[in-house]
Every structure is written in structure tokens, then in C-alpha cells.
Amino acid sequence: MTPEHTASEMHPSRWGDPAAATALPEATRGLVELALGVRDTPAASAVTLPAPSIDAAILDDFRRLLGDEHVLTEDDVRRLRTRGKSTPDLLKQRIGDLSDAPDAVVRPGSHDDVQAVIELAVRHHVALVPFGGGTSVTGGLVARREGFAGVLSLDLVRMKAAREVDTVSMTAVLEPGLRGPEAEALLAEHGLMLGHYPQSFQFASIGGFAATRSSGQSSAGYGRFDSMVVGLTVATPQGTLELGSAPANAAGPDLRELVLGSEGAFGVITAVKVRVKKVPAEKVYEAWQFASFAEGSDAMRHLAQNGLLPTVLRLSDENETAINLSSQDNVGGESVGGCLMIVGHEGASIAGRRALVTEALTSLGGTPAGEERGRAWAEGRFHAPYLRDSMLDVGVLVETLETATFWSNRDRLYTAVRDALSESLGEKSLVLCHISHVYETGCSLYFTVAAPQADDPLAQWDLAKQKASQAMIDAGATITHHHAVGTDHKPWLAQEIGPVGVSILRSVKAGLDPSGVLNPGVLIP
Amino acid sequence: MTPEHTASEMHPSRWGDPAAATALPEATRGLVELALGVRDTPAASAVTLPAPSIDAAILDDFRRLLGDEHVLTEDDVRRLRTRGKSTPDLLKQRIGDLSDAPDAVVRPGSHDDVQAVIELAVRHHVALVPFGGGTSVTGGLVARREGFAGVLSLDLVRMKAAREVDTVSMTAVLEPGLRGPEAEALLAEHGLMLGHYPQSFQFASIGGFAATRSSGQSSAGYGRFDSMVVGLTVATPQGTLELGSAPANAAGPDLRELVLGSEGAFGVITAVKVRVKKVPAEKVYEAWQFASFAEGSDAMRHLAQNGLLPTVLRLSDENETAINLSSQDNVGGESVGGCLMIVGHEGASIAGRRALVTEALTSLGGTPAGEERGRAWAEGRFHAPYLRDSMLDVGVLVETLETATFWSNRDRLYTAVRDALSESLGEKSLVLCHISHVYETGCSLYFTVAAPQADDPLAQWDLAKQKASQAMIDAGATITHHHAVGTDHKPWLAQEIGPVGVSILRSVKAGLDPSGVLNPGVLIP
């Protein structure tokens, strides 16, 4: 049951499926012109890759192991494995900087293949960068080259099976190369689903979801990806690690939680046993309006703390609400004011729960704003990254970052990060925020910024990102709620977990990967 | 708000508060006589401790650090810090074997004290055994003495504050020495509770709950203790580790999950930030009858997989159902047959949820068996360990062990462990089982055995435990769902997580505690 790899490749300097890309909607373009000014950027030019910097004899060893057709050095293939999809990644591709390209791409077909690739990489001291969907936004695909005989992209594209589908335990074993829709399609054959829908869903992979602790838009109902994982198979330089003897146990530290979020630095995840759900018979998405971000998010807190969470629960702040409403042609320009909340209910029979949530939201100051806006959100839920490309095309810097904290620290964190971004990006910038993941004890905050591009937009964003990141740590929050550490977040991870925490990561790394070939430079400060 | 340490000490060779102990109920005694025969064991004799084996000069250093009154060498104090409360622990105390007694007991009063005690222990190469409630049943308090200048019990009894009670985030910071009822009393001042009720609740401590990944009788509603933890402060030989910047995040591996279950081998937990709940306004416990263990547990699975879990959910197998009903005088000897399920609902308003659960259980073959039996369970929920003492007194070997697995493996595991115990303990033994913790993907299995004591009951149990443990691992299950590894489970932990998993634990240990003074011999195979 291994499907062919049919998912489309992404454009190297843009998001997603080129056929799905759209020009900037007129309403948004008008807003952009008004607020930010427009500066058309040159179309991406054909860029030349640095020549592969690895001994041919080494590649021959990998060819003997995997077969010639699974060791690729073509420019197109290497370009598509260069960095991820953060705005800086796209900007670098646009200006022809492909200095982080891997020397070659290797495609193992099985756990044993991965194990053998790792052993060969250790022998030749070649760096390995595990590659799933290529959607990292934190520099997770940019390995350190210095000191290594070369850098190989370890593309998991051939590992796309769903195995051991267990409708009694409601679990399934998924291979790491499965992209979101591919995994859902295989599970749907059994009437099952995962329910993990990050914005990168259409391209990101099962292995990547686990390695980065991804969280999706239905996390209120189905949980973070890490909470869906009950077992893991990992190939490491020390051999195979198999974890997951029970849903939960007390057999020492939970080593699954050490692999989750390890970004390929400890080992390569070759199988993920996940908790699955029945495909819901009913789905409804509806909008609610609240007078303010504080009032709306207090209502979210009430739901989370009283066992009333719907499947989807999101709240835009005043700025994001204004932009969203003005940019969605299918909704029209009508403004509801205040803050828009999206509430989604999915399940076998949702009426009872929906009634309870409706009653609670009403009592907490919410006003129903219709299913039409809810549907519009659901239909456009994976589209924002395309919009970023269109904005970059017209000279607007667009990027996102996110954090999380406990409820009582929400306002302090919100203000600190918003102000850091606004101050750094200037008065012509827009800073939008939403809450898309809630817990009994706290919530995430997801910021989107738009600003006129400076002459050096990379430096412009780097400074803003530094200021915002430091604001998060200074506010006692996390450097990332659901986008991992990569290379970009390392200085702040070091502050977040402190020197003893960093020493633990280093001990584990030194024990599992003493020669350091696994994604060097990523995760560990 | 640090309460005095008023909780009673336990008898060294018996469970709990001597005032609460009771003789064997007549009905049970009749059963015991009939099934097992009775062999009165001699009353515990006054046993002599080995003399402290540590240099006086070393103890003087600890006295200078903590004050004379917090470094104790009296026999009574040392005896009460010797081992835990497994049946082998009690049997050893009964025969006067106190060879595992610590040389002295040190009582730090703060995180900084603990940090300083660790530094002093490293300097003098003295082993430290963190001590909370002393309720380990897996040998977690038995440190290796060889190679060390002495063994100190690090008693956390002075650290009993509840701090930073946050009714917005619904979190509180609890110190590790708080016993279950003490923590609940401090939280109750704010209308809050933890909701963690293991059978050891009355004596076990917050630090121990975290260090052993405890799970309580209300886990269906409130979760395992590890799932309640959102932050940890840990004193290690490398310095202080502070974790918990958000309810959840993607900032690398979740290091909290490495501390949880680490049993003092990586560091000493000095504060636990927990998620708290409002004290429920309503509570009801009721009994249900099912025709068989399989039918009852299928019903539990249905509840877990359909978002219908009550607060308490337990199911006894046919054997345990028969014994429980016959031994509870307040219920009378009337047998309902089949399998008894206890369902507890707690909350602000439970009628709606209770109706849904009642409807589901009825449709799945359940028959209501009354609130009286439910109340009887709730009233006797912490009493079983006292009963064990009474059984040991009359020559019956009583012990428990537990495991967990995925639902589709439930029957295989149940049969394998039951048969291993029955075969090892002989035809006069009784093997009872219940499910007390359920997940969407699986459940725990908790076994209680009773058998006539052989001439060497320690060897008798050791063999049975080995057979049952190997049966768990051979069935692909975990060696423990909620009682940690200690020294007893190490050989099977090694099989469960494999050599790569063991190497990770060793790497972390070597990095955090290179001189190995923290609970040596515990946890790490």
C-alpha cells in the first residue's frame, strides 16, 4: 500500500502548487497600496547552484547502497531541497543565493535503507539533512557544512506507507514521507483520519510533523501532533530505537518526547504510530464576534477550562479582523468590527456540543457572525502562504512568528511582541495577531507582519525577528509554539531552557550521534 | 503558607496510619481460610539497624550546611527511610533485614538547600536518595552503596509550600514534600484541587508523583499526574534546571518528560507547577454490572474513543468482582456475578454528562448496580494496603503489579500475565485483575495476587514477579503503567526501550550526574 509520489513539488522561491497560486485580491492590493506603498520586485531569475562539493567516490558508495536512481545531483532536485519556506528562505532564493544547497539528494526506501545511509554517512563524515515536505520556516533544513565531507538531503519521499491500521485501538503506523493529504487518503480507506491540519498541510510530511512538534488548525479538538503520537521508530547511528509500548506508562522518562521535536538531530524518524479518529459525519464552521481581543480570548479560556472546546477555535485581534474581512471578496467588504472568532464543530453528531458552546459563547459576550464567514475560513485555510508570495511580488515584506504562554501572561506577551515588531518595522508596518491553539492553562499567539520592504529586506526582518524573539523570552514565554527550533531559534532556545537544559540536549546528541552527522547545526545551541 | 509537617509517619513494616489499620474483615478471613489456609506469621520483632557507615566529618559538613536538627542519625528515623512499601519491602522489615537503611537523613528546607546538599554530596561522593512519602513499590528508595562514602536519605519533608496559585491560568506551584492531602488542603483554600488520587494518596508526595509518573483513581477525568505537570524546577549537579515556558511548545524535545519518571537519578525535583481544577460541586459514584471482563472493557473503550469518559472508571474482572463483593460487609454478601464497574462523575454540574454515559453503558450491555456500591468503593478507595498487612499477618502473600497496552492487545496481555502468575504461585493462588486507567488507544491492567506464603515468601514472589514481568514484555506491553522502574523493573525496562533507549538514559545521567551520586542503581539498567 505504498502510493506513488504524485504530490507536486513546490516552486523553489514560492509556496505550494503553482496552479493554486493567485494574484493579490483586489481588496488586499488596495489596502497594500494605501498602507504600505508598492514596490515591484524583479521576477525570480534563473539561479545557478554551487557545484556539488562531495567526492564522487562517496556518492558512488551511496549509489551502490540505494541504486543509481535514488542518488540525485541534478540542479533542479538540489534547488528544491535548499532551505525551507520562511520569508528569508524565499528572499534568498529570489536573489539567487543558493549557498545552502545540498550536494546531492539520497532517497532511501525503507527503515533499513535509512539505517544503512546513516552508517555510510558516519563512515564518510557526511552531513545528513532529513527532508519531508520542505516546509520548515525556522531554518531546519540548513545544516552546517564546515567540517563535513559534504551535505546530503535525506529525502524520505519513497517512504509513504500506512501500516498496521488498527480500528480497535484506533492507531495506525504512518511512514515519514507521507504528506498530509496522502496520509489522510490512506486512512480514509478505513473510515479514519488523523485530523492534523497545519497551514502547511498540503505539503508537509508525517516525519516533519513529529520532528518539529507541529500543531494544526483543529488542535482544540484533535490535539497537537505530538499528542497524537503513541509510538516511534527511529534510525540512529547507534542502531534502531523503537518506542511506544503503551498509550502511556511509568517506565522511566518518556523517550518519545525526546524524539518529538528533535528535528533529525538525534535520529531519523522512519515510522510514527499515531492515534486516529473516525472521519466525522458532520462538520460546521461558524464565525463569532467579540468586542475585543481580551474578551474573545477570555471566552476561549472559559471553553478550555470547562471541557467545552470545539474542534476548531481561533480568534483574530482587531487588526487581523479588519484585514481579513476587507480581503475576502467572497465575504464582501462589510466590517463586523471588534474581533472575529472561528468556531468549528466536527463529529458524529455535533448538535449537543454545539449548543453548549453556543450557550457559553453567548453568555460571555459573543455574537454569532454566521456560517458564511466560517465556511470562507475553512475554504481558504491553506491559502495564506500563496498570498505571501503575491505580497512579496509587490514589495511587501510578509512574515509570521508565534509563541505561547499561560493565560495570566497573555496580555503582557501580546503587547511586548506586538510593540517589538511595530517599533522595529516602523510606522508603516501592520502587525496582526491571532490565537489558534488553546489549553486549559494557556494559549498560543500567532503574529503576522506586513511592511514595505527595505533595501535589504533580509536584514530588515532579521532585526525585527530578533527583537520579537527577545520580547518573548523576556516575557517568560516560549520561542515557538509549533514551528520548532531549526537554526533560527537557537539563541532563544538557549535562554528558554537554560544552560542545564542545553547540556541535556548536547548529552543526548553526543550519545546518539557522536560524529555529529545528523542535521548538524540544527536544534542544539 | 508552609504547613507544619503533621502527617503521621508510617509503621516501618506496615502501611499507613496505625490508627486506621483494621483486622481482616470476617468475610475475607473466611475466604482466606477456605481458599488459602492460614499460617500466622510472628509479630514483627524489634530489629536492629546496621551502624551508620559514613565518616562523622562528612556528616558535620552537612550539619554546618543545614543545621544540626536537619541531619538525623537516630535508628527510628533511619528505619522509616529504609526501602518503600512493596510486599518484599514489608517482608524484609518483618524478618529484621534493614541492610538498605541510609546512614543518615538530611532535610533541606529550600531549593537552594537541595542544590547545596547535592554539591556537598558530589564533593564527598555520598549517594543521595530523594525521599517524599516513602511509598515506592518498585525499590526506588534502595540506592547502591558500593563505591560511595555513604548513603543519605534526602528527605523533602520541610518543603511543603503551595506558591503562585494562579486562578486565571489555573496553575499552582507545589513543593515536593507535600503529601496528597496536604496539597489538596492548600489548594482548597482557593477553591481548587489537583484531583490526583492514587491508592498511596494519603502518604505519597508531590515530588514522588512527578518522579514516578504516578496515575490516580480519577485519571479518566483529571489525567495522569504527568499530564497535570506544566513546569518543573530541578536541582542537579550541573545547576538548576527550570522548565515550563508554556503549556506546550515546539521548542525542541519536551525536557519536562525527561524529568518526569526520572526517580531522582537526574536531579531532585524541588517544585512542580501543576494544572489545577475547581473543586467539583457534585460527585456521584455508581456501580455497573457487565456480563464479562471483555464486554465491560469494550464499553470502557467506547467511552474513551467517543469523548464520554467520566471522572472515575474502573472495571474488575470476574475473580476480583467475586472477592470484592464478598469482602465488603457494608454491601453484604450478595453477588451480582459478572464484572463490576465503578463509574464516578465529578463536576460543577454532572447531570448532562452522566446521562450520556448512562445511555452509552446501557446500550453496551451494562446494568446499573447502584450508588451504594459506588459509595462503598469511594469510601474504601485508600484502604487496600491496610488489608494487605492483615493478610500478611495470617500467612497470605499479597502483592500487586500492573501494566498497560493498546486495546487490541488487551486479551493477549491479560491472559499471559494471569497465567504466568497462576502457574508460578500454584493452584491455591488467587489472581485478580482490574482496569483503572483508560486511553483512547488502550488501557492499564492491574493484577492483585493472594497465595499461601511459602517457606521463603521473598523467593516465592520474586519468581512470580519475574514470570509476570517477562510475560508483559513478551506481549509487547510496558513493565509498568504507574509505578516507575526503581530497582525492581530495570531488567524489563532494558527490554522495553532496547539498547538505544538505555543508552539515552545513560547519556543524560552521565551529563547531569557524572559522579553518579543521585539515587545510584535506580532507574537506569
Side-chain angles (χ1 to χ4, degrees), chain A residues 469-490:
Chain A
S469 297
Q470 196 57 48
M472 293 173 192
I473 299 298
D474 291 346
T478 181
I479 187 62
T480 177
H481 172 266
H482 59 266
H483 282 133
V485 177
T487 48
D488 298 354
H489 288 157
K490 286 198 296 178

Side-chain angles (χ1 to χ4, degrees), chain A residues 8 41 78 82 93 129 164 209-210 230 295 395 494 521:
Chain A
S8 66
T41 51
R78 292 170 59 216
T82 304
Q93 287 264 7
V129 184
E164 301 171 42
F209 293 151
V230 295
E295 189 177 278

Side-chain angles (χ1 to χ4, degrees), chain B residues 206-214 225 259-264 269 484:
Chain B
I206 293 295
F209 293 151
T212 63
R213 293 182 171 273
S214 174
F225 190 81
V259 173
L260 294 164
S262 66
E263 302 187 59
I269 296 168

Side-chain angles (χ1 to χ4, degrees), chain B residues 458-469:
Chain B
L458 282 165
Q460 177 192 18
W461 175 246
D462 187 50
L463 184 64
K465 170 91 175 174
Q466 284 194 40
K467 298 281 188 193
S469 297

Side-chain angles (χ1 to χ4, degrees), chain A residues 166 245 249 277 408 440 496, chain B residues 166 224 245 277 408 496:
Chain A
D166 178 347
S245 53
N249 67 36
K277 299 274 189 184
S408 59
E440 288 178 68
E496 184 172 338
Chain B
D166 178 347
R224 303 166 56 82
S245 53
K277 300 272 189 186
S408 60
E496 183 172 338

Side-chain angles (χ1 to χ4, degrees), chain A residues 132-207:
Chain A
T135 60
S136 169
V137 291
T138 57
L141 300 168
V142 184
R144 196 180 62 237
R145 173 174 286 282
E146 295 72 42
F148 291 96
V151 175
L152 298 182
S153 177
L154 179 71
D155 190 344
L156 296 156
V157 69
R158 291 170 62 204
M159 297 180 66
K160 285 182 184 278
R163 303 190 307 252
E164 301 171 42
V165 176
D166 178 347
T167 55
V168 174
S169 304
M170 293 297 277
T171 59
V173 175
L174 302 178
E175 288 191 343
L178 284 167
R179 292 185 180 183
E182 293 169 338
E184 291 294 9
L186 289 173
L187 293 173
E189 293 174 12
H190 305 269
L192 303 174
M193 66 157 198
L194 197 49
H196 180 64
Y197 306 110
Q199 201 167 61
S200 60
F201 170 72
Q202 295 166 307
F203 294 90
S205 68
I206 294 294

